[in-house]
Amino acid sequence: MKKIGFLSFGHWSPSSQSQTRSAADALLQSIDLAAAAEELGADGAYFRVHHFARQLASPYPLLAAVGARTSRIEIGTAVIDMRYENPLYMAEDAGAADLIAGGRLQLGISRGSPEQVIDGWRYFGYVPQEGQNDADMARNHAEVFLNVLRGEGFAQPNPRPMFPNPPGMLRLEPFSAGLRDRIWWGAATNATAEWAGKLGMNLQSSTLKFDESGQPLHVQQAEQIRAFRAAWKEAGHAREPRVSVSRSIFALVDDRDRAYFGGNDSEDHFGYIEPEKRAVFGRTYAAEPDVLVEQLKEDEAIAEADTLLLTVPNQLGVEYNAHVIEAILKHVAPALGWR
């Protein structure tokens, strides 16, 4: 059995070819797609976070709205860029959204990917400490965030407060018990996956990672997952960790699918998303269901993970994306033992 969810970047464009032509369209359709996915039996609704872009940004209003609209599906991010985050304010927002959702948040956080503007986090008021870079700053923010999610008091109470305080040092409110165990780190390297394992975060691995061996993406991801689990075990955490991988997978079951994705004989490719950092970009799987099943059997990273996130083309609209999800759940997942 495997949990299957969708991952949306929440793009919008004024193009006549887009079904999401405004930010309102992207947000409202994200809520509708999460509700549709829950009805279809999917397990997760995840959203990407980008700043200064025509995509989903600050996720907490969306997460809370999805939480209020649904009752079962996991609700998450993949990923929140921690270079831009105030970790204490984030803990309050995340706690509130998780309480609204009844404890269903699965927050993916990370150092983030290259953004639309140069050093965009500086406009948000964040600068790395002397001798550190933006990746160090992201990990520092993450560690503060994880600490406050433990719910332990750390702030000195005012001796003459406006409202009565509980005894002792004060924590951030609202506090959502259990959220600390539902934080995931989006790792682009084996080293950051190991770091996440040591800190007790779950692991998210995307459709790309920095190239560390020249091997196909799924092979490198499987190695990354094994390194993560070894670090987790060595750290002695009590619970079992979770691992997700993201994939672009389309079952060609009707003429629309063949028109959009037919003939896509994609392979992994290598390139650069940052200077001097070679990355491997995962292929798109698009084929008739029986062919797709055989192809996915060979994906080592999917086999290692407990959760699969299907990247969806959100600009094609809610109805078509629900069809994409349903096709995987109905025609592919059972044959692979995922359902």
Side-chain angles (χ1 to χ4, degrees):
M1 302 294 289
K2 198 178 297 291
K3 289 185 180 291
I4 302 174
F6 73 82
L7 171 60
S8 174
F9 280 49
H11 295 282
W12 74 85
S13 167
S15 167
S16 61
Q17 304 301 312
S18 175
Q19 297 294 317
T20 53
R21 301 184 186 179
S22 69
D25 287 343
L27 289 162
L28 294 172
Q29 289 182 27
S30 294
I31 300 167
D32 289 342
L33 183 57
E38 180 172 80
E39 290 180 5
L40 292 170
D43 302 297
Y46 286 73
F47 304 97
R48 187 67 168 89
V49 177
H50 277 291
H51 301 287
F52 300 103
R54 291 177 176 177
Q55 298 176 37
L56 299 173
S58 179
Y60 306 106
L62 174 60
L63 297 173
V66 172
R69 176 82 175 271
T70 60
S71 61
R72 179 192 59 81
I73 199 168
E74 293 181 343
I75 308 161
T77 53
V79 290
I80 297 171
D81 189 332
M82 292 302 292
R83 296 174 295 180
Y84 289 76
E85 294 293 321
N86 176 321
L88 273 67
Y89 207 114
M90 180 179 177
E92 293 181 345
D93 282 343
D98 194 42
L99 291 170
I100 290 170
R104 289 181 284 133
L105 251 60
Q106 303 284 342
L107 284 186
I109 65 176
S110 185
R111 173 263 189 185
S113 60
E115 293 288 306
Q116 299 299 105
V117 300
I118 297 170
D119 296 348
W121 28 270
R122 293 183 183 272
Y123 296 99
F124 280 56
Y126 304 115
V127 179
Q129 297 177 15
E130 186 174 352
Q132 296 190 338
N133 58 26
D134 62 315
D136 297 321
M137 179 174 67
R139 287 188 285 271
N140 291 341
H141 286 183
E143 292 189 28
V144 173
F145 178 60
L146 294 174
N147 284 335
V148 297
L149 286 183
R150 298 182 190 280
E152 299 171 357
F154 63 91
Q156 182 70 41
N158 187 337
R160 290 182 290 276
M162 182 177 294
F163 308 105
N165 282 323
M169 304 291 275
L170 300 183
R171 69 184 184 188
L172 290 175
E173 302 288 356
F175 172 70
S176 185
L179 180 57
R180 170 63 177 79
D181 290 342
R182 289 178 274 114
I183 306 301
W184 307 57
W185 184 260
T189 65
N190 290 4
T192 52
E194 292 172 357
W195 173 81
K198 291 176 182 177
L199 267 64
M201 288 185 280
N202 302 307
L203 177 67
Q204 288 181 337
S205 198
S206 182
T207 50
L208 68 86
K209 72 179 291 294
F210 291 129
D211 176 31
E212 298 184 81
S213 68
Q215 294 278 80
L217 173 69
H218 74 99
V219 175
Q220 294 200 45
Q221 279 186 322
E223 294 172 349
Q224 180 190 52
I225 293 167
R226 289 190 286 269
F228 163 77
R229 289 201 171 112
W232 181 283
K233 183 177 180 180
E234 183 179 353
H237 302 301
R239 66 180 178 88
E240 285 296 313
R242 290 184 60 184
V243 175
S244 75
V245 294
S246 303
R247 290 290 185 273
S248 298
I249 305 174
F250 301 96
L252 307 182
V253 298
D254 64 20
D255 289 341
R256 291 179 302 170
D257 301 326
R258 286 182 278 273
Y260 285 134
F261 302 106
N264 190 333
D265 188 18
S266 176
E267 296 182 353
D268 290 352
H269 65 279
F270 294 82
Y272 292 84
I273 58 171
E274 295 183 7
E276 301 180 1
K277 287 187 177 180
R278 189 170 186 254
V280 54
F281 300 81
R283 59 173 292 184
T284 294
Y285 289 96
E288 304 294 327
D290 57 338
V291 175
L292 207 53
V293 167
E294 295 305 313
Q295 292 176 342
L296 293 172
K297 284 180 181 178
E298 304 300 317
D299 193 307
E300 295 181 19
I302 292 179
E304 290 276 356
D306 61 81
T307 301
L308 172 64
L309 301 183
L310 305 170
T311 61
V312 294
N314 76 283
Q315 289 188 90
L316 295 181
V318 173
E319 188 273 333
Y320 182 72
N321 280 286
H323 160 77
V324 166
I325 296 166
E326 183 179 28
I328 299 301
L329 295 175
K330 182 177 179 180
H331 299 292
V332 177
L336 288 163
W338 301 345
R339 282 291 186 273

